[in-house]
Amino acid sequence: MEISKLGLSIGESMTLKLNETFGILKAKGEPVIHLGGGEPHGKAPLKAIELTNELLQTGVVRYSPSIGTKELREAVRDYTYKFYGKKPELKNVIISTGAKQALLVAMQAVLNPGEEVIFPKPYWVSYPEMVKLANGNPVAIDLKNPGFIPEISDFEKALTPKTRAILINSPNNPTGIMYPGSLIKDLVSFTKEKGLYLIMDDIYHRLVFDNLKHPSVLDYASGFEGSHIILVNGISKTYAMTGFRIGWAVADSSLIKVMVNLQSHQTGGPSPLLQKAALGAIIDDQSGVEELRSTLEENRNLMLELLKRLDKVKIYKPSGTFYMYVDFSAYEPDSMKLSAYLLEKVKVLTMPGKAFGLDGHLRLSYCGEADEITEGINRLVWALDENITEPLEIGTQTIFKD
Ligand code: PMP
Ligand code: GLU
């Protein structure tokens, strides 16, 4: 039997696939180290568990309104006001099954078949596939300058009559780079002037380092009604709650209404249990977020320090997230090959840059423990530095240079 062209055009999420590979190897007792992960360690905030438990204990868990529960939308409204200084109304907020679904329904709501969404390379793995799922054409653009910060002219060059939206993520997965306020400001006015939507994926907005302030699209927006800005956020990264699958979008109310209609036929709406968990996380004391943020900053510093021993890598220092996007092309230009080699030879899992549209790089994550980062980078240095000739101990095994 035939399978649809759309279905066949969608590739597997490499990040999720390699996460799975890691789990399988770990379960087999392999001494594998994950430097590719996309989720912070640590537990969900206590209040998230308490509120979920309370509802679960009643035994009465029904459908949620497709737009999300009122209490969680109120919490998101207040969250937006607290962190962005602008207060949406409840009609401007939709709760989805992860930021992933919020992004997808946003694209489905704005794209006609064949219309284009522009985003910079490297990009988060799911962006091109999401645009395709929404019947659009993904347009991933090369950047003029090194350092992963686009210029307006990079976007301008890619504009066509079919361009419908620009999609950005800052701080960025996979680079960890945060865009300056001046660029965000210019993007807000450029997209407005050209009649485009600006979809801002803000999922890492509180995981920012070096006392920097996160420049936000809402700094330059006058309000929500009639706005061309779609702001997407969620609990996965900030609260280490990836498996709870709650995210949201804040936008113009007529657009939200269409997103709700779409969602009502997809998942119906996110589970009320998990919305309770998200509510708990948002209203709980926020000290866990600062703890996570500062641990990630220390981890970033540690990883940068350890990588200094590889004199041929090129790194742009991340200002946020828990990723860095390291240029290993002087060692091996094919990132799939390099990633497979590191997993095979020294049991270190990394994410090949090819998955993010820019080969020659590996995405390294520092969301794990400091000792894992140290051990992982030590193994990586051993595998790549030709001057090291002595064998390496991994668990009970001794590995020799080829
Ligand atoms: N955007 C980016 C840039 C991400 O890294 C992720 C991580 N999965 C998401 C969106 C989706 O997050 P969620 O877990 O809320 O679906
Ligand atoms: N966003 C994370 C990553 O890029 C989690 C995996 C996923 O959802 O793709 O690794």
Side-chain angles (χ1 to χ4, degrees):
M1 293 296 287
E2 243 183 64
I3 293 176
S4 76
K5 287 193 181 67
L6 175 65
L8 290 173
S9 77
I10 304 298
E12 188 175 12
S13 162
M14 178 106 68
T15 47
L16 292 179
K17 181 180 164 204
L18 287 176
N19 267 349
E20 216 178 304
T21 303
F22 175 79
I24 294 168
L25 292 172
K26 190 95 187 151
K28 279 194 198 155
E30 297 266 7
V32 62
I33 290 188
H34 204 345
L35 291 187
E39 46 194 348
H41 292 194
K43 291 190 174 176
L46 210 57
K47 193 99 189 142
I49 310 301
E50 275 170 19
L51 293 192
T52 314
N53 263 339
E54 258 172 41
L55 177 58
L56 189 57
Q57 292 308 320
T58 66
V60 182
V61 182
R62 304 291 187 221
Y63 289 129
S64 158
S66 292
I67 192 170
T69 60
K70 183 161 179 278
E71 58 182 6
L72 181 55
R73 283 186 300 127
E74 283 167 351
V76 167
R77 176 196 61 197
D78 297 346
Y79 179 101
T80 309
Y81 186 52
K82 181 170 167 190
F83 293 106
Y84 296 92
K86 300 252 159 68
K87 197 166 191 165
E89 290 183 49
L90 292 189
K91 63 184 180 183
N92 300 118
V93 179
I94 179 175
I95 311 294
S96 298
T97 303
K100 237 175 199 172
Q101 194 191 18
L103 284 164
L104 182 58
V105 286
M107 290 184 206
Q108 289 177 320
V110 304
L111 291 177
N112 292 305
E115 287 184 338
E116 296 164 356
V117 179
I118 304 175
F119 47 83
K121 276 189 211 167
Y123 46 75
W124 178 46
V125 266
S126 289
Y127 289 164
E129 309 311 271
M130 283 173 167
V131 176
K132 287 194 263 170
L133 280 173
N135 283 312
N137 282 337
V139 179
I141 53 167
D142 291 310
L143 305 184
K144 188 173 95 195
N145 297 325
F148 307 126
I149 298 183
E151 281 194 355
I152 293 294
S153 61
D154 294 327
F155 294 100
E156 205 156 21
K157 270 190 246 157
L159 282 186
T160 77
K162 290 197 162 173
T163 309
R164 190 79 169 131
I166 286 179
L167 165 62
I168 53 169
N169 168 226
S170 166
N172 181 270
N173 179 4
T175 65
I177 296 296
M178 187 161 70
Y179 295 170
S182 55
L183 172 63
I184 300 286
K185 181 171 185 245
D186 289 349
L187 272 168
V188 170
S189 47
F190 174 73
T191 43
K192 186 164 184 196
E193 193 187 300
K194 302 286 179 192
L196 306 175
Y197 282 101
L198 178 58
I199 307 174
M200 178 78 211
D201 181 346
D202 243 11
I203 188 111
Y204 299 98
H205 80 114
R206 289 170 73 189
L207 304 180
V208 168
F209 313 140
D210 307 318
N211 292 316
L212 292 169
K213 186 187 167 300
H214 171 250
S216 136
V217 284
L218 292 190
D219 292 344
Y220 308 103
S222 45
F224 297 92
E225 284 309 274
S227 170
H228 66 302
I229 293 173
I230 306 172
L231 180 68
V232 174
N233 218 320
I235 58 167
S236 282
K237 317 292 174 175
T238 312
Y239 299 107
M241 290 173 71
T242 49
F244 286 79
R245 311 305 308 123
I246 296 291
W248 59 83
V250 181
D252 169 68
S253 64
S254 47
L255 180 73
I256 293 287
K257 177 112 193 31
V258 175
M259 289 167 69
V260 172
N261 292 348
L262 289 161
Q263 189 164 277
S264 73
H265 299 290
Q266 297 178 359
T267 53
S271 160
L273 271 179
L274 303 174
Q275 291 186 73
K276 281 282 184 194
L279 175 67
I282 292 174
I283 63 174
D284 206 354
D285 136 51
Q286 301 291 294
S287 58
V289 182
E290 175 50 25
E291 233 169 81
L292 171 64
R293 195 208 60 75
S294 65
T295 303
L296 294 175
E297 183 166 344
E298 281 166 25
N299 287 354
R300 176 206 59 175
N301 295 343
L302 172 66
M303 188 177 267
L304 284 174
E305 192 55 38
L306 291 165
L307 280 168
K308 281 188 182 153
R309 285 151 54 208
L310 284 177
D311 54 6
K312 286 188 272 182
V313 296
K314 272 190 251 151
I315 308 177
Y316 292 95
K317 185 178 176 182
S319 302
T321 71
F322 33 77
Y323 310 110
M324 58 180 79
Y325 203 63
V326 184
D327 184 345
F328 283 96
S329 57
Y331 295 92
E332 167 59 65
D334 182 336
S335 60
M336 297 293 283
K337 226 164 141 180
L338 180 60
S339 176
Y341 170 72
L342 292 172
L343 185 58
E344 166 74 23
K345 184 78 183 172
V346 287
K347 310 234 178 300
V348 176
L349 196 146
T350 56
M351 288 294 167
K354 202 147 188 220
F356 307 95
L358 191 62
D359 213 350
H361 296 69
L362 296 177
R363 186 188 76 176
L364 301 181
S365 299
Y366 40 95
C367 54
E369 315 303 328
D371 56 349
E372 284 172 339
I373 293 170
T374 306
E375 173 68 15
I377 299 292
N378 284 346
R379 290 188 199 176
L380 200 143
V381 171
W382 181 89
L384 297 180
D385 186 344
E386 292 150 2
N387 298 320
I388 304 176
T389 51
E390 63 269 22
L392 175 76
E393 304 293 329
I394 294 184
T396 54
Q397 303 166 24
T398 305
I399 318 277
F400 297 92
K401 279 280 169 108
D402 295 325

